[in-house]
Amino acid sequence: MGGNGGRGALMTWLGRAATLVLPYGAVVVSRGLDCLYILQLERYKPDRFRAWVVSHRRALVPGRECLLQALTVAVAVALALAGQHWLGSAVVWLVTGHIIQSRHRSLQVSQRLHWTTRAARVAAVALGLSGFLVAWAANTVGQALPAPDAVSRYVAGAIGGLAFVGLLTPTIVGLAARAVAPLERVIARKFLADATRRMGAYRGRVLGITGSYGKTSTKYVVADLLSARYRVLKTPAGVNTTMGITRVIREELRDEHEAFVVEMSAYGPGEIREVCDVVRPTLGILTAVGVQHLERFGTPERIAEAKYELIAALPAGAPAVINADDAVCVRLAERARTDGKRVLLYGMGEGAARLAVRGTEFAVSARGSRFRVITADGQTETFETKLLGRWNLSNVLAGIAAALEWGVPLAAMKPAVGGLVPAPRRLEIHEEGGVIRILDVANANPRGAEMALEVLSQFTGGSRILITPGMVELGPIEAEENRRFGEKAAPVCDYVVLVGAEQTRPIRQGLLDGGFPADKVLTARQAQDVTEFLAGIVRPGDILLYENRLPDTYLEVAS
């Protein structure tokens, strides 16, 4: 233990020493890691990364830094031409570096870079390219500059080279991503082939889940309900893309797993189909079709088509569990019947058509819910759950429908439903020091936000405080949806803390339109400032709803 602690302390000391003597080098490394992180958030797509860089260029490379670096290089060249000792240039470079470093802020706020092997490969290529550019600049200037002192010439060239690399770091990372892309495609094809072979030999059942929202919570519900009869593996939180699922198959799926529950997401057409080609689901759940990611898909129709890819991939006669309370899902259910699927509808609407699983007699409170389930064959059972919100009850009904289809008795699900806990960061409740915090920071859609406000309204005893940066990726309807969110929050909340002045402007307008007092609306520039704002208003007994956390690609401070 002491050895590990000593090594850790030594590495920390060396890092601080390097920052002290190579301040601008530390800025360049930090910027490179930030760019690699953004590339990772954009799923290593060079074109998407480039688009992000273009729209955030000023944040990545501030104009003041460009000016300071130009002056520093000019001074270094002038000192070399004047025959001055190289230490003079080094001191100027050091001072400039510390000035730039004092103003530099990392873009890794809500999350951190994950050091995967792919990230390491891109980083290695970017580092090699950067080193080559610095060496090339040092050598070129060192040989070409008509200055008497050779060391001063090369130092001036190195200072210019590092400045050049620092200002072009986003471009260098983008080039590195493109350079490794062919290798990544080869590796991806190999991993996909391995996973496809593994699934071909797998004798268990595969359940796929998709939807614009509700899919992660439903995944946790259905896995717990199936566990009453089966040994179940579910994809981990946040894993819902082809390569992430492929890794789970290769590293975690075992023959003893009798059921494999797979969450599927998409940022574009064809992505869910690609996952289905690998996992071959025999039961599919469609939770909802909404406007989340409208900015990326372009039209609601394309979103619906992407979600339907799961249903289309099911074998003929296979069960498709579909939400009857969602109008788009109902239309897709009719299409599924035409395509030869066996549709099982679930829902809470009393006037809905014949449902495989119907929820009724709801009693929802701040501490949980009680409801009754009636099945198409006349079974009935009353359930209690600690999950909050009516939307969560819809997710439970989806899980019950799927578990019934796979032979789990309705009565056997009661203990599992009673023991359900929220999926991570989805209406999670934390209580500390008499303050209740509701974390709903992975729910960036209009319906999810509305349901979260409904949950908040059920709490009494203290001030109800909403903290939110609003919703994104809603394309042309984004401003109006955020305005409506503010309008709906007005009668529920006592205080609202908005994160990001520009992006939350529609929410503020909605709050004011709803009659909310302007002096109870606080605006934080970025997420790190929220704690300071809350310190002035939060008291024991208060209830705080954290609604949505934007990925760092959307942080206003980076605009």
Side-chain angles (χ1 to χ4, degrees):
M1 179 71 81
N4 289 337
R7 283 193 293 272
L10 176 62
M11 293 303 294
T12 300
W13 183 88
L14 288 174
R16 289 175 178 170
T19 300
L20 184 65
V21 300
L22 299 169
Y24 191 66
V27 170
V28 174
V29 170
S30 176
R31 180 172 295 144
L33 295 178
D34 283 347
C35 288
L36 183 57
Y37 166 67
I38 296 297
L39 176 69
Q40 193 173 71
L41 291 181
E42 294 290 2
R43 301 190 180 188
Y44 295 97
K45 305 288 188 184
D47 290 340
R48 290 203 330 221
F49 173 71
R50 181 180 178 278
W52 187 92
V53 167
V54 169
S55 62
H56 294 79
R57 172 68 68 177
R58 286 170 52 193
L60 282 170
V61 186
R64 184 173 299 181
E65 178 180 330
C66 297
L67 178 60
L68 282 172
Q69 286 291 33
L71 290 173
T72 301
V73 173
V75 169
V77 170
L79 290 175
L81 289 172
Q84 298 297 314
H85 195 275
W86 65 269
L87 278 175
S89 298
V91 169
V92 173
W93 178 83
L94 198 65
V95 171
T96 302
H98 279 293
I99 293 172
I100 294 172
Q101 186 185 63
S102 68
R103 302 181 62 85
H104 177 72
R105 297 291 180 270
S106 174
L107 301 180
Q108 300 179 54
V109 178
S110 65
Q111 301 177 60
R112 305 294 295 178
L113 171 67
H114 294 291
W115 274 110
T116 62
T117 53
R118 185 171 188 173
R121 285 191 286 267
V122 175
V125 173
L127 181 62
L129 183 56
S130 299
F132 169 79
L133 290 174
V134 172
W136 173 83
N139 184 64
T140 301
V141 174
Q143 292 186 5
L145 201 64
D149 182 62
V151 177
S152 293
R153 297 200 305 267
Y154 284 98
V155 167
I159 290 173
L162 188 58
F164 184 64
V165 167
L167 302 180
L168 288 181
T169 296
T171 301
I172 291 171
V173 172
L175 290 173
R178 292 186 185 278
V180 303
L183 174 62
E184 297 300 338
R185 285 194 289 270
V186 171
I187 294 172
R189 283 196 294 268
K190 179 182 181 301
F191 286 170
L192 277 172
D194 289 347
T196 301
R197 281 194 296 270
R198 173 72 186 93
M199 292 306 301
Y202 178 61
R203 294 293 172 257
R205 303 180 177 206
V206 180
L207 186 154
I209 303 172
T210 194
S212 296
Y213 26 84
K215 55 185 175 292
T216 301
S217 295
T218 301
K219 173 179 68 178
Y220 277 79
V221 169
V222 75
D224 283 353
L225 299 188
L226 290 175
S227 293
R229 179 166 181 172
Y230 300 100
R231 291 186 292 273
V232 179
L233 174 68
K234 66 177 181 293
T235 50
V239 175
N240 51 30
T241 61
T242 303
M243 295 315 298
I245 294 166
T246 295
R247 183 171 183 177
V248 173
I249 294 169
R250 296 175 64 246
E251 298 180 2
E252 299 182 38
L253 186 63
R254 302 286 180 266
D255 290 339
E256 60 264 26
H257 291 128
E258 298 167 299
F260 184 28
V261 179
V262 183
E263 176 187 347
M264 305 176 188
S265 184
Y267 267 8
E271 293 186 8
I272 291 175
R273 185 186 309 116
E274 185 179 56
V275 174
C276 291
D277 288 344
V278 177
V279 302
R280 305 175 195 178
T282 53
L283 186 153
I285 298 178
L286 179 58
T287 62
V289 179
V291 293
Q292 192 175 21
H293 304 315
L294 180 60
E295 182 179 270
R296 294 184 184 272
F297 280 93
T299 66
E301 291 75 21
R302 293 185 73 194
I303 295 174
E305 283 297 318
K307 302 308 178 186
Y308 190 76
E309 288 172 7
L310 167 60
I311 307 302
L314 297 174
V321 177
I322 299 177
N323 184 4
D325 297 327
D326 184 293
V328 179
C329 284
V330 171
R331 290 200 298 271
L332 293 180
E334 290 302 316
R335 177 178 170 184
R337 288 193 183 96
T338 303
D339 290 346
K341 318 302 180 186
R342 188 159 53 87
V343 174
L344 304 174
L345 295 174
Y346 67 92
M348 299 183 283
E350 292 295 334
R354 180 178 175 83
L355 303 181
V357 170
R358 183 189 301 276
T360 187
E361 298 178 17
F362 298 100
V364 181
S365 73
R367 298 300 175 186
S369 306
R370 177 186 171 95
F371 61 101
R372 186 165 169 247
V373 166
I374 304 172
T375 68
D377 60 4
Q379 297 182 67
T380 184
E381 194 68 63
T382 299
F383 292 88
E384 293 184 359
T385 179
K386 301 185 191 75
L387 298 181
L388 303 179
R390 285 176 63 87
W391 180 251
N392 260 327
L393 298 185
S394 179
N395 299 332
V396 174
L397 294 177
I400 289 173
L404 280 172
E405 178 63 23
W406 279 3
V408 181
L410 192 62
M413 299 183 209
K414 286 193 72 170
V417 172
L420 290 172
V421 296
R425 304 179 300 149
R426 290 161 173 84
L427 291 176
E428 274 189 297
I429 302 293
H430 297 269
E431 189 167 353
E432 184 177 352
V435 176
I436 297 173
R437 300 176 190 272
I438 308 172
L439 304 184
D440 196 43
V441 295
N443 210 356
N445 64 82
R447 182 157 331 163
E450 183 179 346
M451 294 296 174
L453 288 174
E454 178 186 309
V455 169
L456 180 62
S457 70
Q458 294 162 356
F459 284 83
T460 58
S463 295
R464 294 190 288 248
I465 303 171
L466 169 66
I467 303 100
T468 183
M471 297 171 284
V472 296
E473 294 191 349
L474 299 180
I477 66 172
E478 182 173 299
E480 177 58 21
E481 288 295 341
N482 276 299
R483 191 199 66 78
R484 291 179 58 202
F485 176 39
E487 201 167 42
K488 290 176 181 178
V492 175
C493 303
D494 297 294
Y495 287 94
V496 175
V497 179
L498 303 176
V499 184
E502 290 302 317
Q503 67 201 24
T504 60
R505 194 179 297 276
I507 302 177
R508 171 183 283 274
Q509 185 60 53
L511 287 164
L512 299 179
D513 291 346
F516 196 78
D519 61 341
K520 298 295 181 70
V521 184
L522 310 176
T523 304
R525 182 168 178 263
Q526 52 186 308
Q528 299 96 312
D529 301 331
V530 169
T531 301
E532 181 181 342
F533 278 76
L534 294 177
I537 59 175
V538 174
R539 300 291 180 268
D542 289 351
I543 307 96
L544 280 59
L545 169 62
Y546 292 83
E547 180 58 26
N548 199 18
R549 181 180 68 186
L550 296 185
D552 289 337
T553 46
Y554 285 95
L555 287 181
E556 189 168 298
V557 70
S559 299

